[in-house]
Amino acid sequence: MGGLFVTFEGIDRAGKTTQARLLAEALGDEAIAVREPGGTAVGERVRELVKDPEVEVGPEAEALLFAAARAELVASVIRPALEAGRVVASDRYLDSSLAYQGAGRGLGVEEVAAVNRFATGGLEPDLTFLLGVEAGAAAARAGEVDRFESEGRALQDAVLAAYERLAEAEPERWRRIDADRPAEEVHADVLAEVQSALAGTPA
Ligand code: TYD
């Protein structure tokens, strides 16, 4: 498969959505931006469901819902784009499930990884940016509060620690980026890394 699969991870409000969009815009027709959960009819419904504070979902069902949305997105959007040689910039991907459901909800990272191997057919990102912001600063960024954010600091801390472990385990895939900076500065670093990955040389 050609193309380059780039994912953005981090705690809520680290600026992942903006960075995925800026990357896709910078690359023009060569690239698309997607978000998780979402990006397909099924995915958008799952998004409404899992973000709704009124809807109670157990941890196993929650992990499966995210995996179902991901299966649909991989099959109908991500794989076809990669096969056409494009860059896919995704606002979250399977590392979000490993961090939030595996670690945050205590389901176990390996258990959640197994479900996701089935869902994605084993598709892994080529490059993953961990957008780092201090948790308090992220909480202070304006916007609506969803079910995950309303669960507070303990969940965010567990998620952050899980991301750190994932990044340490696969240093060739992960790039840590300081996201406590203007979006354009963060974007410049992201673009440089992506361009060097496209050129097949380390930055
Ligand atoms: P979203 O609005 O995309 O998050 P962000 O605040 O990063 O913009 O909401 C998605 C929420 O779902 C977010 O709190 C993280 C969570 N999530 C999981 O728990 N597991 C997953 O696999 C994914 C993709 C998201």
PDB file of all heavy atoms in Angstrom, residues 78-115:
ATOM      1  N   ILE A  78     -10.053   5.198   4.785  1.00  0.00           N
ATOM      2  CA  ILE A  78      -8.593   5.248   4.961  1.00  0.00           C
ATOM      3  C   ILE A  78      -7.850   4.331   3.983  1.00  0.00           C
ATOM      4  O   ILE A  78      -6.935   4.766   3.284  1.00  0.00           O
ATOM      5  CB  ILE A  78      -8.202   4.925   6.423  1.00  0.00           C
ATOM      6  CG1 ILE A  78      -8.791   5.982   7.373  1.00  0.00           C
ATOM      7  CG2 ILE A  78      -6.668   4.882   6.571  1.00  0.00           C
ATOM      8  CD1 ILE A  78      -8.531   5.739   8.855  1.00  0.00           C
ATOM      9  N   ARG A  79      -8.258   3.050   3.922  1.00  0.00           N
ATOM     10  CA  ARG A  79      -7.546   2.137   3.016  1.00  0.00           C
ATOM     11  C   ARG A  79      -7.629   2.569   1.547  1.00  0.00           C
ATOM     12  O   ARG A  79      -6.605   2.596   0.852  1.00  0.00           O
ATOM     13  CB  ARG A  79      -8.072   0.704   3.152  1.00  0.00           C
ATOM     14  CG  ARG A  79      -7.235  -0.141   4.075  1.00  0.00           C
ATOM     15  CD  ARG A  79      -7.661  -1.605   4.012  1.00  0.00           C
ATOM     16  NE  ARG A  79      -7.386  -2.264   5.264  1.00  0.00           N
ATOM     17  CZ  ARG A  79      -6.188  -2.710   5.637  1.00  0.00           C
ATOM     18  NH1 ARG A  79      -5.140  -2.584   4.833  1.00  0.00           N
ATOM     19  NH2 ARG A  79      -6.026  -3.271   6.803  1.00  0.00           N
ATOM     20  N   PRO A  80      -8.821   2.936   1.079  1.00  0.00           N
ATOM     21  CA  PRO A  80      -8.882   3.379  -0.321  1.00  0.00           C
ATOM     22  C   PRO A  80      -7.981   4.586  -0.588  1.00  0.00           C
ATOM     23  O   PRO A  80      -7.320   4.649  -1.636  1.00  0.00           O
ATOM     24  CB  PRO A  80     -10.364   3.741  -0.525  1.00  0.00           C
ATOM     25  CG  PRO A  80     -11.096   2.916   0.491  1.00  0.00           C
ATOM     26  CD  PRO A  80     -10.165   2.793   1.671  1.00  0.00           C
ATOM     27  N   ALA A  81      -7.907   5.526   0.363  1.00  0.00           N
ATOM     28  CA  ALA A  81      -7.060   6.710   0.153  1.00  0.00           C
ATOM     29  C   ALA A  81      -5.585   6.320   0.124  1.00  0.00           C
ATOM     30  O   ALA A  81      -4.819   6.796  -0.720  1.00  0.00           O
ATOM     31  CB  ALA A  81      -7.316   7.748   1.249  1.00  0.00           C
ATOM     32  N   LEU A  82      -5.177   5.438   1.043  1.00  0.00           N
ATOM     33  CA  LEU A  82      -3.769   5.007   1.059  1.00  0.00           C
ATOM     34  C   LEU A  82      -3.426   4.244  -0.216  1.00  0.00           C
ATOM     35  O   LEU A  82      -2.348   4.404  -0.787  1.00  0.00           O
ATOM     36  CB  LEU A  82      -3.487   4.144   2.298  1.00  0.00           C
ATOM     37  CG  LEU A  82      -3.557   4.871   3.654  1.00  0.00           C
ATOM     38  CD1 LEU A  82      -3.402   3.870   4.798  1.00  0.00           C
ATOM     39  CD2 LEU A  82      -2.498   5.969   3.764  1.00  0.00           C
ATOM     40  N   GLU A  83      -4.388   3.424  -0.647  1.00  0.00           N
ATOM     41  CA  GLU A  83      -4.131   2.658  -1.878  1.00  0.00           C
ATOM     42  C   GLU A  83      -4.004   3.570  -3.086  1.00  0.00           C
ATOM     43  O   GLU A  83      -3.304   3.241  -4.050  1.00  0.00           O
ATOM     44  CB  GLU A  83      -5.240   1.608  -2.079  1.00  0.00           C
ATOM     45  CG  GLU A  83      -4.927   0.347  -1.279  1.00  0.00           C
ATOM     46  CD  GLU A  83      -6.121  -0.566  -1.050  1.00  0.00           C
ATOM     47  OE1 GLU A  83      -7.194  -0.322  -1.640  1.00  0.00           O
ATOM     48  OE2 GLU A  83      -5.960  -1.521  -0.264  1.00  0.00           O
ATOM     49  N   ALA A  84      -4.654   4.719  -3.019  1.00  0.00           N
ATOM     50  CA  ALA A  84      -4.522   5.695  -4.109  1.00  0.00           C
ATOM     51  C   ALA A  84      -3.261   6.542  -3.940  1.00  0.00           C
ATOM     52  O   ALA A  84      -3.045   7.501  -4.687  1.00  0.00           O
ATOM     53  CB  ALA A  84      -5.759   6.586  -4.156  1.00  0.00           C
ATOM     54  N   GLY A  85      -2.447   6.213  -2.926  1.00  0.00           N
ATOM     55  CA  GLY A  85      -1.173   6.907  -2.738  1.00  0.00           C
ATOM     56  C   GLY A  85      -1.271   8.219  -1.982  1.00  0.00           C
ATOM     57  O   GLY A  85      -0.332   9.022  -1.985  1.00  0.00           O
ATOM     58  N   ARG A  86      -2.409   8.457  -1.285  1.00  0.00           N
ATOM     59  CA  ARG A  86      -2.576   9.738  -0.605  1.00  0.00           C
ATOM     60  C   ARG A  86      -2.079   9.697   0.840  1.00  0.00           C
ATOM     61  O   ARG A  86      -1.885   8.621   1.415  1.00  0.00           O
ATOM     62  CB  ARG A  86      -4.051  10.139  -0.639  1.00  0.00           C
ATOM     63  CG  ARG A  86      -4.547  10.244  -2.067  1.00  0.00           C
ATOM     64  CD  ARG A  86      -6.032  10.438  -2.115  1.00  0.00           C
ATOM     65  NE  ARG A  86      -6.372  11.850  -2.093  1.00  0.00           N
ATOM     66  CZ  ARG A  86      -7.618  12.300  -2.007  1.00  0.00           C
ATOM     67  NH1 ARG A  86      -8.623  11.461  -1.896  1.00  0.00           N
ATOM     68  NH2 ARG A  86      -7.861  13.584  -2.011  1.00  0.00           N
ATOM     69  N   VAL A  87      -1.928  10.897   1.399  1.00  0.00           N
ATOM     70  CA  VAL A  87      -1.606  11.013   2.820  1.00  0.00           C
ATOM     71  C   VAL A  87      -2.934  11.113   3.567  1.00  0.00           C
ATOM     72  O   VAL A  87      -3.814  11.880   3.190  1.00  0.00           O
ATOM     73  CB  VAL A  87      -0.757  12.279   3.099  1.00  0.00           C
ATOM     74  CG1 VAL A  87      -0.547  12.477   4.598  1.00  0.00           C
ATOM     75  CG2 VAL A  87       0.585  12.184   2.373  1.00  0.00           C
ATOM     76  N   VAL A  88      -3.102  10.309   4.607  1.00  0.00           N
ATOM     77  CA  VAL A  88      -4.298  10.393   5.445  1.00  0.00           C
ATOM     78  C   VAL A  88      -3.886  10.973   6.788  1.00  0.00           C
ATOM     79  O   VAL A  88      -3.015  10.422   7.471  1.00  0.00           O
ATOM     80  CB  VAL A  88      -4.948   9.010   5.640  1.00  0.00           C
ATOM     81  CG1 VAL A  88      -6.140   9.119   6.594  1.00  0.00           C
ATOM     82  CG2 VAL A  88      -5.397   8.428   4.304  1.00  0.00           C
ATOM     83  N   ALA A  89      -4.496  12.106   7.156  1.00  0.00           N
ATOM     84  CA  ALA A  89      -4.224  12.755   8.442  1.00  0.00           C
ATOM     85  C   ALA A  89      -5.421  12.496   9.346  1.00  0.00           C
ATOM     86  O   ALA A  89      -6.510  13.002   9.093  1.00  0.00           O
ATOM     87  CB  ALA A  89      -4.028  14.256   8.242  1.00  0.00           C
ATOM     88  N   SER A  90      -5.236  11.690  10.374  1.00  0.00           N
ATOM     89  CA  SER A  90      -6.376  11.332  11.215  1.00  0.00           C
ATOM     90  C   SER A  90      -6.290  11.951  12.605  1.00  0.00           C
ATOM     91  O   SER A  90      -5.284  11.820  13.297  1.00  0.00           O
ATOM     92  CB  SER A  90      -6.485   9.801  11.327  1.00  0.00           C
ATOM     93  OG  SER A  90      -7.680   9.452  11.995  1.00  0.00           O
ATOM     94  N   ASP A  91      -7.371  12.630  12.965  1.00  0.00           N
ATOM     95  CA  ASP A  91      -7.539  13.197  14.293  1.00  0.00           C
ATOM     96  C   ASP A  91      -7.980  12.045  15.204  1.00  0.00           C
ATOM     97  O   ASP A  91      -9.149  11.695  15.209  1.00  0.00           O
ATOM     98  CB  ASP A  91      -8.616  14.293  14.175  1.00  0.00           C
ATOM     99  CG  ASP A  91      -9.047  14.871  15.501  1.00  0.00           C
ATOM    100  OD1 ASP A  91      -8.448  14.541  16.537  1.00  0.00           O
ATOM    101  OD2 ASP A  91     -10.024  15.660  15.483  1.00  0.00           O
ATOM    102  N   ARG A  92      -7.023  11.408  15.866  1.00  0.00           N
ATOM    103  CA  ARG A  92      -7.156  10.195  16.684  1.00  0.00           C
ATOM    104  C   ARG A  92      -7.237   8.941  15.804  1.00  0.00           C
ATOM    105  O   ARG A  92      -7.735   8.966  14.685  1.00  0.00           O
ATOM    106  CB  ARG A  92      -8.389  10.205  17.595  1.00  0.00           C
ATOM    107  CG  ARG A  92      -8.369  11.310  18.651  1.00  0.00           C
ATOM    108  CD  ARG A  92      -9.501  11.101  19.643  1.00  0.00           C
ATOM    109  NE  ARG A  92      -9.533  12.111  20.683  1.00  0.00           N
ATOM    110  CZ  ARG A  92      -8.734  12.118  21.747  1.00  0.00           C
ATOM    111  NH1 ARG A  92      -7.837  11.165  21.908  1.00  0.00           N
ATOM    112  NH2 ARG A  92      -8.828  13.081  22.635  1.00  0.00           N
ATOM    113  N   TYR A  93      -6.771   7.824  16.377  1.00  0.00           N
ATOM    114  CA  TYR A  93      -6.898   6.507  15.762  1.00  0.00           C
ATOM    115  C   TYR A  93      -6.747   5.486  16.878  1.00  0.00           C
ATOM    116  O   TYR A  93      -7.046   5.785  18.035  1.00  0.00           O
ATOM    117  CB  TYR A  93      -5.846   6.336  14.641  1.00  0.00           C
ATOM    118  CG  TYR A  93      -5.953   5.059  13.842  1.00  0.00           C
ATOM    119  CD1 TYR A  93      -7.100   4.765  13.103  1.00  0.00           C
ATOM    120  CD2 TYR A  93      -4.919   4.133  13.833  1.00  0.00           C
ATOM    121  CE1 TYR A  93      -7.187   3.580  12.372  1.00  0.00           C
ATOM    122  CE2 TYR A  93      -5.004   2.954  13.099  1.00  0.00           C
ATOM    123  CZ  TYR A  93      -6.146   2.680  12.378  1.00  0.00           C
ATOM    124  OH  TYR A  93      -6.235   1.512  11.666  1.00  0.00           O
ATOM    125  N   LEU A  94      -6.269   4.303  16.562  1.00  0.00           N
ATOM    126  CA  LEU A  94      -6.367   3.229  17.551  1.00  0.00           C
ATOM    127  C   LEU A  94      -5.614   3.463  18.847  1.00  0.00           C
ATOM    128  O   LEU A  94      -6.012   2.937  19.886  1.00  0.00           O
ATOM    129  CB  LEU A  94      -5.983   1.888  16.913  1.00  0.00           C
ATOM    130  CG  LEU A  94      -4.561   1.385  16.892  1.00  0.00           C
ATOM    131  CD1 LEU A  94      -4.360   0.378  18.020  1.00  0.00           C
ATOM    132  CD2 LEU A  94      -4.293   0.700  15.572  1.00  0.00           C
ATOM    133  N   ASP A  95      -4.565   4.288  18.832  1.00  0.00           N
ATOM    134  CA  ASP A  95      -3.893   4.586  20.103  1.00  0.00           C
ATOM    135  C   ASP A  95      -4.839   5.273  21.095  1.00  0.00           C
ATOM    136  O   ASP A  95      -4.651   5.143  22.305  1.00  0.00           O
ATOM    137  CB  ASP A  95      -2.658   5.451  19.855  1.00  0.00           C
ATOM    138  CG  ASP A  95      -1.612   4.713  19.027  1.00  0.00           C
ATOM    139  OD1 ASP A  95      -1.095   3.689  19.503  1.00  0.00           O
ATOM    140  OD2 ASP A  95      -1.345   5.140  17.890  1.00  0.00           O
ATOM    141  N   SER A  96      -5.852   5.984  20.578  1.00  0.00           N
ATOM    142  CA  SER A  96      -6.848   6.580  21.493  1.00  0.00           C
ATOM    143  C   SER A  96      -7.585   5.486  22.255  1.00  0.00           C
ATOM    144  O   SER A  96      -7.846   5.622  23.447  1.00  0.00           O
ATOM    145  CB  SER A  96      -7.876   7.416  20.724  1.00  0.00           C
ATOM    146  OG  SER A  96      -7.337   8.650  20.327  1.00  0.00           O
ATOM    147  N   SER A  97      -7.920   4.408  21.573  1.00  0.00           N
ATOM    148  CA  SER A  97      -8.604   3.308  22.256  1.00  0.00           C
ATOM    149  C   SER A  97      -7.682   2.621  23.261  1.00  0.00           C
ATOM    150  O   SER A  97      -8.110   2.236  24.343  1.00  0.00           O
ATOM    151  CB  SER A  97      -9.116   2.270  21.250  1.00  0.00           C
ATOM    152  OG  SER A  97     -10.276   2.739  20.603  1.00  0.00           O
ATOM    153  N   LEU A  98      -6.410   2.456  22.881  1.00  0.00           N
ATOM    154  CA  LEU A  98      -5.463   1.830  23.814  1.00  0.00           C
ATOM    155  C   LEU A  98      -5.330   2.686  25.070  1.00  0.00           C
ATOM    156  O   LEU A  98      -5.315   2.168  26.191  1.00  0.00           O
ATOM    157  CB  LEU A  98      -4.098   1.636  23.148  1.00  0.00           C
ATOM    158  CG  LEU A  98      -4.090   0.814  21.851  1.00  0.00           C
ATOM    159  CD1 LEU A  98      -2.666   0.660  21.323  1.00  0.00           C
ATOM    160  CD2 LEU A  98      -4.740  -0.556  22.050  1.00  0.00           C
ATOM    161  N   ALA A  99      -5.261   4.012  24.869  1.00  0.00           N
ATOM    162  CA  ALA A  99      -5.063   4.913  26.011  1.00  0.00           C
ATOM    163  C   ALA A  99      -6.342   5.111  26.836  1.00  0.00           C
ATOM    164  O   ALA A  99      -6.316   5.009  28.059  1.00  0.00           O
ATOM    165  CB  ALA A  99      -4.528   6.259  25.517  1.00  0.00           C
ATOM    166  N   TYR A 100      -7.465   5.368  26.160  1.00  0.00           N
ATOM    167  CA  TYR A 100      -8.707   5.679  26.905  1.00  0.00           C
ATOM    168  C   TYR A 100      -9.398   4.415  27.417  1.00  0.00           C
ATOM    169  O   TYR A 100      -9.776   4.335  28.580  1.00  0.00           O
ATOM    170  CB  TYR A 100      -9.693   6.474  26.041  1.00  0.00           C
ATOM    171  CG  TYR A 100      -9.345   7.930  25.878  1.00  0.00           C
ATOM    172  CD1 TYR A 100      -8.356   8.331  24.983  1.00  0.00           C
ATOM    173  CD2 TYR A 100      -9.985   8.923  26.605  1.00  0.00           C
ATOM    174  CE1 TYR A 100      -8.027   9.662  24.821  1.00  0.00           C
ATOM    175  CE2 TYR A 100      -9.664  10.276  26.455  1.00  0.00           C
ATOM    176  CZ  TYR A 100      -8.688  10.636  25.569  1.00  0.00           C
ATOM    177  OH  TYR A 100      -8.360  11.967  25.420  1.00  0.00           O
ATOM    178  N   GLN A 101      -9.606   3.441  26.530  1.00  0.00           N
ATOM    179  CA  GLN A 101     -10.321   2.246  26.965  1.00  0.00           C
ATOM    180  C   GLN A 101      -9.360   1.261  27.647  1.00  0.00           C
ATOM    181  O   GLN A 101      -9.670   0.706  28.696  1.00  0.00           O
ATOM    182  CB  GLN A 101     -11.035   1.573  25.787  1.00  0.00           C
ATOM    183  CG  GLN A 101     -12.346   2.241  25.391  1.00  0.00           C
ATOM    184  CD  GLN A 101     -12.145   3.635  24.833  1.00  0.00           C
ATOM    185  OE1 GLN A 101     -11.366   3.839  23.903  1.00  0.00           O
ATOM    186  NE2 GLN A 101     -12.839   4.618  25.412  1.00  0.00           N
ATOM    187  N   GLY A 102      -8.193   1.036  27.026  1.00  0.00           N
ATOM    188  CA  GLY A 102      -7.247   0.072  27.584  1.00  0.00           C
ATOM    189  C   GLY A 102      -6.723   0.504  28.945  1.00  0.00           C
ATOM    190  O   GLY A 102      -6.811  -0.255  29.918  1.00  0.00           O
ATOM    191  N   ALA A 103      -6.196   1.732  29.002  1.00  0.00           N
ATOM    192  CA  ALA A 103      -5.620   2.218  30.263  1.00  0.00           C
ATOM    193  C   ALA A 103      -6.656   2.981  31.092  1.00  0.00           C
ATOM    194  O   ALA A 103      -6.918   2.641  32.240  1.00  0.00           O
ATOM    195  CB  ALA A 103      -4.411   3.099  29.977  1.00  0.00           C
ATOM    196  N   GLY A 104      -7.269   4.000  30.500  1.00  0.00           N
ATOM    197  CA  GLY A 104      -8.199   4.854  31.249  1.00  0.00           C
ATOM    198  C   GLY A 104      -9.342   4.075  31.884  1.00  0.00           C
ATOM    199  O   GLY A 104      -9.668   4.259  33.054  1.00  0.00           O
ATOM    200  N   ARG A 105      -9.950   3.194  31.097  1.00  0.00           N
ATOM    201  CA  ARG A 105     -11.074   2.409  31.620  1.00  0.00           C
ATOM    202  C   ARG A 105     -10.624   1.092  32.242  1.00  0.00           C
ATOM    203  O   ARG A 105     -11.448   0.304  32.707  1.00  0.00           O
ATOM    204  CB  ARG A 105     -12.061   2.060  30.503  1.00  0.00           C
ATOM    205  CG  ARG A 105     -12.668   3.232  29.798  1.00  0.00           C
ATOM    206  CD  ARG A 105     -13.698   3.914  30.657  1.00  0.00           C
ATOM    207  NE  ARG A 105     -14.484   4.831  29.870  1.00  0.00           N
ATOM    208  CZ  ARG A 105     -14.831   6.055  30.280  1.00  0.00           C
ATOM    209  NH1 ARG A 105     -14.461   6.499  31.461  1.00  0.00           N
ATOM    210  NH2 ARG A 105     -15.556   6.818  29.495  1.00  0.00           N
ATOM    211  N   GLY A 106      -9.339   0.789  32.144  1.00  0.00           N
ATOM    212  CA  GLY A 106      -8.808  -0.409  32.790  1.00  0.00           C
ATOM    213  C   GLY A 106      -9.117  -1.720  32.081  1.00  0.00           C
ATOM    214  O   GLY A 106      -9.054  -2.787  32.680  1.00  0.00           O
ATOM    215  N   LEU A 107      -9.420  -1.674  30.787  1.00  0.00           N
ATOM    216  CA  LEU A 107      -9.722  -2.916  30.066  1.00  0.00           C
ATOM    217  C   LEU A 107      -8.461  -3.707  29.712  1.00  0.00           C
ATOM    218  O   LEU A 107      -8.544  -4.894  29.396  1.00  0.00           O
ATOM    219  CB  LEU A 107     -10.486  -2.616  28.776  1.00  0.00           C
ATOM    220  CG  LEU A 107     -11.923  -2.122  28.930  1.00  0.00           C
ATOM    221  CD1 LEU A 107     -12.500  -1.774  27.562  1.00  0.00           C
ATOM    222  CD2 LEU A 107     -12.793  -3.165  29.617  1.00  0.00           C
ATOM    223  N   GLY A 108      -7.334  -3.032  29.727  1.00  0.00           N
ATOM    224  CA  GLY A 108      -6.071  -3.683  29.355  1.00  0.00           C
ATOM    225  C   GLY A 108      -5.700  -3.302  27.925  1.00  0.00           C
ATOM    226  O   GLY A 108      -6.507  -3.447  27.003  1.00  0.00           O
ATOM    227  N   VAL A 109      -4.487  -2.804  27.774  1.00  0.00           N
ATOM    228  CA  VAL A 109      -4.036  -2.337  26.461  1.00  0.00           C
ATOM    229  C   VAL A 109      -4.003  -3.495  25.459  1.00  0.00           C
ATOM    230  O   VAL A 109      -4.447  -3.347  24.310  1.00  0.00           O
ATOM    231  CB  VAL A 109      -2.654  -1.644  26.587  1.00  0.00           C
ATOM    232  CG1 VAL A 109      -2.044  -1.373  25.218  1.00  0.00           C
ATOM    233  CG2 VAL A 109      -2.797  -0.346  27.370  1.00  0.00           C
ATOM    234  N   GLU A 110      -3.532  -4.669  25.863  1.00  0.00           N
ATOM    235  CA  GLU A 110      -3.426  -5.789  24.928  1.00  0.00           C
ATOM    236  C   GLU A 110      -4.811  -6.291  24.492  1.00  0.00           C
ATOM    237  O   GLU A 110      -5.013  -6.617  23.315  1.00  0.00           O
ATOM    238  CB  GLU A 110      -2.575  -6.912  25.532  1.00  0.00           C
ATOM    239  CG  GLU A 110      -2.159  -7.981  24.550  1.00  0.00           C
ATOM    240  CD  GLU A 110      -1.856  -7.486  23.120  1.00  0.00           C
ATOM    241  OE1 GLU A 110      -1.001  -6.607  22.936  1.00  0.00           O
ATOM    242  OE2 GLU A 110      -2.511  -7.991  22.170  1.00  0.00           O
ATOM    243  N   GLU A 111      -5.767  -6.305  25.410  1.00  0.00           N
ATOM    244  CA  GLU A 111      -7.135  -6.737  25.075  1.00  0.00           C
ATOM    245  C   GLU A 111      -7.752  -5.796  24.037  1.00  0.00           C
ATOM    246  O   GLU A 111      -8.367  -6.227  23.058  1.00  0.00           O
ATOM    247  CB  GLU A 111      -8.021  -6.757  26.331  1.00  0.00           C
ATOM    248  CG  GLU A 111      -7.765  -7.919  27.264  1.00  0.00           C
ATOM    249  CD  GLU A 111      -6.479  -7.801  28.089  1.00  0.00           C
ATOM    250  OE1 GLU A 111      -5.751  -6.789  27.979  1.00  0.00           O
ATOM    251  OE2 GLU A 111      -6.196  -8.762  28.831  1.00  0.00           O
ATOM    252  N   VAL A 112      -7.593  -4.513  24.270  1.00  0.00           N
ATOM    253  CA  VAL A 112      -8.169  -3.532  23.344  1.00  0.00           C
ATOM    254  C   VAL A 112      -7.425  -3.574  22.004  1.00  0.00           C
ATOM    255  O   VAL A 112      -8.044  -3.440  20.940  1.00  0.00           O
ATOM    256  CB  VAL A 112      -8.166  -2.115  23.975  1.00  0.00           C
ATOM    257  CG1 VAL A 112      -8.639  -1.066  22.975  1.00  0.00           C
ATOM    258  CG2 VAL A 112      -9.053  -2.100  25.214  1.00  0.00           C
ATOM    259  N   ALA A 113      -6.131  -3.831  22.051  1.00  0.00           N
ATOM    260  CA  ALA A 113      -5.366  -3.953  20.798  1.00  0.00           C
ATOM    261  C   ALA A 113      -5.883  -5.132  19.970  1.00  0.00           C
ATOM    262  O   ALA A 113      -5.989  -5.042  18.742  1.00  0.00           O
ATOM    263  CB  ALA A 113      -3.877  -4.110  21.098  1.00  0.00           C
ATOM    264  N   ALA A 114      -6.232  -6.232  20.634  1.00  0.00           N
ATOM    265  CA  ALA A 114      -6.703  -7.424  19.914  1.00  0.00           C
ATOM    266  C   ALA A 114      -8.014  -7.142  19.175  1.00  0.00           C
ATOM    267  O   ALA A 114      -8.172  -7.497  17.998  1.00  0.00           O
ATOM    268  CB  ALA A 114      -6.884  -8.588  20.892  1.00  0.00           C
ATOM    269  N   VAL A 115      -8.939  -6.477  19.856  1.00  0.00           N
ATOM    270  CA  VAL A 115     -10.211  -6.114  19.228  1.00  0.00           C
ATOM    271  C   VAL A 115      -9.963  -5.216  18.010  1.00  0.00           C
ATOM    272  O   VAL A 115     -10.587  -5.357  16.958  1.00  0.00           O
ATOM    273  CB  VAL A 115     -11.109  -5.372  20.258  1.00  0.00           C
ATOM    274  CG1 VAL A 115     -12.260  -4.670  19.574  1.00  0.00           C
ATOM    275  CG2 VAL A 115     -11.602  -6.345  21.318  1.00  0.00           C
TER     276      VAL A 115
END
